[in-house]
Amino acid sequence: MNLFKHIRVTTWWFKLPPFLVLIYLYFIKENVNDFRQEVFQVLLILLGVIIAAAFASLINNYYDQEDDLIAGKENKMIDLSHNSQLIVLGSSIFAGIAYSILIFSNFYAFIFYWLSWICFYIYSSKQFRLKEKAFLGIVFDGLASQFFPVLFIFSFLYKGDIGNHWIWIISGSIWMTFSFGMRSLIIHQYNDCENDLKAGVCTFVNNTSQLSRRIFQGFVLLIEVFSFVIFIWATNWQIFVIPIFIYASLFCIFKIIFSIDFYFFEPLQNQKSRSMFFDFYITILPFALLGLLTLKNYQNGILLIVSIIIFNVPTLFNAWNFFKVKIK
């Protein structure tokens, strides 16, 4: 449990299902029916993404110690001696190097994987501190957490031969970058705005004018939607009909019956609210794709059950607690 707090697993665990969506769509698109191959690819890709995410959390905690101490935020790095901090940080780097040995033969996957690490370092380190560069910080976080990891995933799956799939791959990379990279970070900055102000940390949210924020946020949302539409078209739009219908139905139910409001960027404080599209990206779409894969090969039902336990059960508990509190 202490390890989970060190790597701040709750801040990035919810971002894993969209990566899995890309893998599941690859299985469907390329008609992969070898269950052992599917499990191997899912586990190996997830391992790499998790190691990189752990490094991102640790490097961010390492350089954020002073700011978090002022703001009163939990940062497990503060509890460690300087040598212990270096050992923990070095262990994550060593894990990344060890993982690289497994993918070294895939040149493009190797390059994209480490470009993500470099961007994470530049984003957090005191030497560059792009975290406090407003627009540039939002862009670099998107590159580090989504754009290069997605290119790594596709390069791994296609063994570097992505030339015939470039529209699908680029649109998917941009969609993930603008949704779970840039928009997700902006939402996080709104939630953390008070702590950032206490610590004197300049971010996009607290250091740009309202007009500039609105224009940039509109641009982010536009690109997210536009790239996702292209991604759907480049995949097979029929695959998305049922999950989109399910989300639209749930949206109406939540809006009308439970009076839940939806937002794109700034969370609605003291109100029942949900981030627009994220339930679709995180829960409905992965579940629907796994269901489709299970219909093609019953062995994929194992992946479906495991995915529900690891990703959807926590979501259901959160939803239950959410409605339980509101009903009271």
Side-chain angles (χ1 to χ4, degrees):
M1 187 62 70
N2 202 35
L3 173 63
F4 290 160
K5 289 185 177 181
H6 268 292
I7 62 176
R8 301 195 304 181
V9 68
T10 56
T11 64
W12 50 263
W13 191 255
F14 74 96
K15 294 185 179 182
L16 294 180
F19 287 126
L20 291 172
V21 162
L22 304 178
I23 302 173
Y24 300 153
L25 285 172
Y26 166 81
F27 293 157
I28 295 170
K29 192 176 176 66
E30 300 301 323
N31 198 29
V32 177
N33 289 313
D34 187 335
F35 179 69
R36 291 185 179 181
Q37 178 187 352
E38 291 174 356
V39 171
F40 172 76
Q41 291 179 327
V42 167
L43 291 180
L44 192 57
I45 290 173
L46 270 185
L47 176 62
V49 172
I50 288 173
I51 291 173
F55 167 77
S57 297
L58 291 171
I59 195 72
N60 191 66
N61 281 351
Y62 180 78
Y63 284 111
D64 275 5
Q65 292 179 71
E66 294 179 10
D67 295 335
D68 289 345
L69 195 60
I70 294 172
K73 290 176 60 178
E74 183 180 42
N75 185 332
K76 287 297 180 180
M77 278 288 186
I78 299 173
D79 301 332
L80 302 176
S81 66
H82 182 66
N83 287 337
S84 296
Q85 291 174 8
L86 294 179
I87 290 173
V88 170
L89 194 55
S91 296
S92 68
I93 296 173
F94 177 79
I97 294 173
Y99 177 78
S100 297
I101 296 174
L102 301 176
I103 62 171
F104 186 73
S105 60
N106 190 324
F107 176 76
Y108 290 107
F110 178 85
I111 294 298
F112 288 134
Y113 187 70
W114 280 102
L115 281 174
S116 174
W117 283 63
I118 293 170
C119 286
F120 277 132
Y121 173 76
I122 293 175
Y123 176 78
S124 298
S125 69
K126 294 294 185 183
Q127 293 90 329
F128 301 97
R129 202 57 175 174
L130 295 187
K131 182 175 183 177
E132 298 188 44
K133 301 299 183 183
F135 298 97
L136 199 57
I138 298 294
V139 171
F140 255 76
D141 181 80
L143 292 175
S145 66
Q146 304 298 320
F147 187 72
F148 289 127
V150 172
L151 290 178
F152 151 69
I153 289 173
F154 281 130
S155 296
F156 178 90
L157 293 172
Y158 282 108
K159 298 179 174 59
D161 184 17
I162 61 177
N164 295 327
H165 314 278
W166 69 271
I167 295 179
W168 187 57
I169 291 172
I170 295 301
S171 61
S173 302
I174 293 174
W175 159 56
M176 290 282 285
T177 300
F178 279 76
S179 57
F180 283 93
M182 298 169 71
R183 185 156 74 95
S184 182
L185 179 60
I186 293 172
I187 293 172
H188 171 74
Q189 288 187 359
Y190 273 115
N191 280 319
D192 217 25
C193 186
E194 187 176 338
N195 288 326
D196 288 335
L197 289 173
K198 284 181 183 179
V201 176
C202 297
T203 66
F204 164 77
V205 167
N206 66 30
N207 199 41
T208 55
S209 66
Q210 187 175 29
L211 178 61
S212 297
R213 284 205 308 274
R214 286 183 175 179
I215 293 174
F216 186 72
Q217 289 173 179
F219 169 74
V220 169
L221 182 60
L222 178 65
I223 299 301
E224 174 188 337
V225 174
F226 184 67
S227 59
F228 187 57
V229 170
I230 295 177
F231 182 67
I232 290 175
W233 170 77
T235 308
N236 180 351
W237 65 269
Q238 294 176 326
I239 296 174
F240 296 85
V241 171
I242 293 178
I244 289 175
F245 174 77
I246 292 173
Y247 180 70
S249 300
L250 290 175
F251 174 86
C252 295
I253 292 172
F254 287 168
K255 188 78 174 176
I256 298 171
I257 298 178
F258 296 104
S259 300
I260 295 176
D261 291 317
F262 290 82
Y263 61 88
F264 289 109
F265 293 97
E266 186 172 0
L268 304 173
Q269 302 298 331
N270 303 317
Q271 295 184 46
K272 294 182 291 184
S273 60
R274 302 290 295 173
S275 176
M276 194 69 180
F277 302 144
F278 276 20
D279 289 317
F280 173 75
Y281 297 152
I282 294 172
T283 304
I284 296 174
L285 186 55
F287 186 81
L289 294 177
L290 274 175
L292 181 57
L293 284 170
T294 301
L295 290 176
K296 295 178 65 177
N297 182 351
Y298 71 92
Q299 289 180 308
N300 287 320
I302 299 174
L303 283 177
L304 178 61
I305 294 171
V306 172
S307 179
I308 290 173
I309 294 173
I310 295 177
F311 298 111
N312 299 113
V313 168
T315 301
L316 291 174
F317 273 117
N318 290 336
W320 169 256
N321 291 330
F322 175 83
F323 286 113
K324 187 177 179 182
V325 170
K326 298 305 178 182
I327 289 173
K328 288 182 177 179

